Amino acid sequence: PHSLISSSIGLLLVFRTNSAYQKFREGRKTWEKLSNTCRDITRMISVYEQNVGTARKHRIQRLLAAFPYLLHHHIQPRCLDHSQCEELRGSPHALVLHEPYTIRNTHSKPSKARECWVDKRSLPWCLLPDSVLDKCAHSHNRPLWISDRLSLEFTEITYTENFTSRERLELLKHANKLSECIGNCERIHQTAVPLNYARHALRSLTLWSFTLPFGIVDKLGLLTGPVVGVVAWLMFGVYQIGHTIEDPFQGSLRLTDMCNSIYRDVMYGDRTQAGMRRESAFRKDGERERDWESVGDAFGLGWTMQAQKNMEVYNDKLVLASTEPFGQLQ
């Protein structure tokens, strides 16, 4: 009977771990999509800077750079602790956000919003002017507010010979992708494994581990204790892994590193040395057409001789797959 129960418990653990890992992968893909969308928008407004305008381009860059941080705060609020709040109390750098409480059931009444203190000098709050920051701070869904404001900025770009409705629709599609990322993150964060299923799996695993010594003591003798300890450690470890990665935004994914990476890619022209090196891709200052002609053929003379030699050695080591049928290779 004990071996029959172990099969059922194995199915419970596998189902829970697989469902948790699927949420982890989906969360990572969502943030990958977010990063790629921000880079695509930055590329488009940089290529069409003459049509977009320098001032509007900088506004869009700051809104894009603030978006991942606000989405991170939306799914995982990062408020200042009590001591930090006391230091900022009465300071112009203090910003009070009104975070709504989660409604637990349909019969409960909406509770008052709780206060969340942040420092205006930190990211992403320092990216927005006070007039815009006040509006964004009073919104309960701040990343969606940023997405809406980006859509407004895109629609206000004047049509020109190079920038037509096609480019505007492309930018609006990117804004829609940002909204989809918000919805995906909310769905992953708010959809947990059913509580009854989690309790049943844990209780079954506990009962199985408690009765395991009685099933193997006649065969292992004094080794029963260490064996049961190792098996219990493995089984409960699998259960804990599923519980940990069930919500990938609570520590499994390095959201802060992702936000910083998007910030560096988007704010390349924000007076930073590393950023200005990326912006040089959209500038042809000091370049001439004949500079490309002076490079020569890939198999020409000079420094490319070593590249040709390396490629010849590499080609000699290639092993081509046989095109003969499998039966003739036997």
Side-chain angles (χ1 to χ4, degrees):
H2 200 273
S3 60
L4 296 177
I5 297 176
S6 62
S7 301
S8 302
I9 293 177
L11 291 177
L12 291 175
L13 291 179
V14 168
F15 177 79
R16 175 179 173 81
T17 306
N18 285 342
S19 61
Y21 183 71
Q22 291 298 327
K23 294 179 64 177
F24 174 82
R25 288 188 58 189
E26 189 174 358
R28 182 62 184 90
K29 290 181 179 179
T30 299
W31 275 81
E32 180 183 2
K33 178 181 177 181
L34 168 61
S35 177
N36 294 335
T37 303
C38 292
R39 292 168 180 170
D40 293 341
I41 295 177
T42 306
R43 184 182 300 111
M44 284 198 67
I45 63 174
S46 298
V47 172
Y48 294 98
E49 181 178 358
Q50 295 182 354
N51 309 106
V52 175
T54 304
R56 189 184 305 277
K57 172 192 171 185
H58 291 166
R59 291 199 301 268
I60 294 176
Q61 283 181 292
R62 290 181 174 272
L63 291 171
L64 279 177
F67 181 85
Y69 291 101
L70 293 175
L71 180 57
H72 186 190
H73 182 85
H74 181 64
I75 58 181
Q76 187 182 0
R78 308 181 66 182
C79 306
L80 300 178
D81 54 26
H82 180 72
S83 59
Q84 294 174 329
C85 293
E86 291 298 329
E87 294 178 359
L88 289 177
R89 188 177 299 275
S91 172
H93 305 299
L95 178 62
V96 181
L97 307 176
H98 298 283
E99 303 289 349
Y101 282 114
T102 303
I103 301 177
R104 296 184 178 181
N105 53 65
T106 57
H107 301 286
S108 61
K109 297 181 180 180
S111 56
K112 295 182 179 179
R114 58 187 178 91
E115 292 185 352
C116 176
W117 289 59
V118 295
D119 192 346
K120 289 184 179 181
R121 296 168 295 182
S122 61
L123 289 172
W125 321 107
C126 62
L127 295 173
L128 305 177
D130 292 339
S131 58
V132 178
L133 185 58
D134 292 339
K135 297 179 181 179
C136 183
H138 284 82
S139 176
H140 288 167
N141 195 329
R142 298 178 188 90
L144 182 60
W145 190 95
I146 294 293
S147 179
D148 295 339
R149 176 53 65 91
L150 284 173
S151 301
L152 178 63
E153 293 286 349
F154 296 154
T155 55
E156 290 180 347
I157 301 177
T158 306
Y159 285 153
T160 60
E161 183 179 356
N162 295 328
F163 191 91
T164 61
S165 59
R166 181 180 58 183
E167 286 74 21
R168 174 181 291 181
L169 290 177
E170 187 67 22
L171 289 174
L172 291 176
K173 288 181 181 179
H174 289 316
N176 293 337
K177 291 180 181 180
L178 295 179
S179 299
E180 292 177 2
C181 293
I182 299 173
N184 292 339
C185 290
E186 291 176 342
R187 174 172 50 83
I188 295 173
H189 178 65
Q190 297 173 0
T191 305
V193 174
L195 183 60
N196 294 332
Y197 180 87
R199 288 179 175 177
H200 180 70
L202 183 59
R203 290 169 181 171
S204 301
L205 181 59
T206 303
L207 179 61
W208 181 83
S209 301
F210 180 76
T211 58
L212 179 61
F214 300 99
I216 61 176
V217 64
D218 57 337
K219 298 180 180 179
L220 299 181
L222 296 178
L223 294 177
T224 301
V227 171
V228 171
V230 172
V231 172
W233 175 74
L234 292 175
M235 300 297 286
F236 280 100
V238 173
Y239 181 88
Q240 182 63 27
I241 290 174
H243 177 73
T244 302
I245 66 177
E246 179 184 353
D247 189 354
F249 305 132
Q250 299 299 326
S252 300
L253 293 177
R254 299 179 179 179
L255 297 184
T256 301
D257 295 340
M258 296 180 187
C259 293
N260 294 336
S261 176
I262 296 175
Y263 173 83
R264 289 191 297 267
D265 293 338
V266 171
M267 298 295 294
Y268 57 80
D270 193 23
R271 299 182 300 277
T272 58
Q273 184 177 1
M276 295 301 292
R277 287 197 292 267
R278 180 176 182 249
E279 191 184 18
S280 62
F282 304 102
R283 300 288 184 268
K284 292 187 175 181
D285 301 339
E287 299 180 9
R288 296 171 299 180
E289 293 293 336
R290 59 176 179 269
D291 293 339
W292 290 91
E293 300 176 357
S294 62
V295 177
D297 190 7
F299 296 102
L301 301 176
W303 64 273
T304 56
M305 292 295 296
Q306 184 64 31
Q308 179 183 0
K309 181 179 179 181
N310 295 338
M311 184 171 294
E312 291 175 353
V313 173
Y314 176 77
N315 292 333
D316 292 339
K317 295 181 179 179
L318 287 178
V319 178
L320 300 179
S322 176
T323 58
E324 299 179 358
F326 180 77
Q328 300 180 5
L329 298 177
Q330 303 296 329

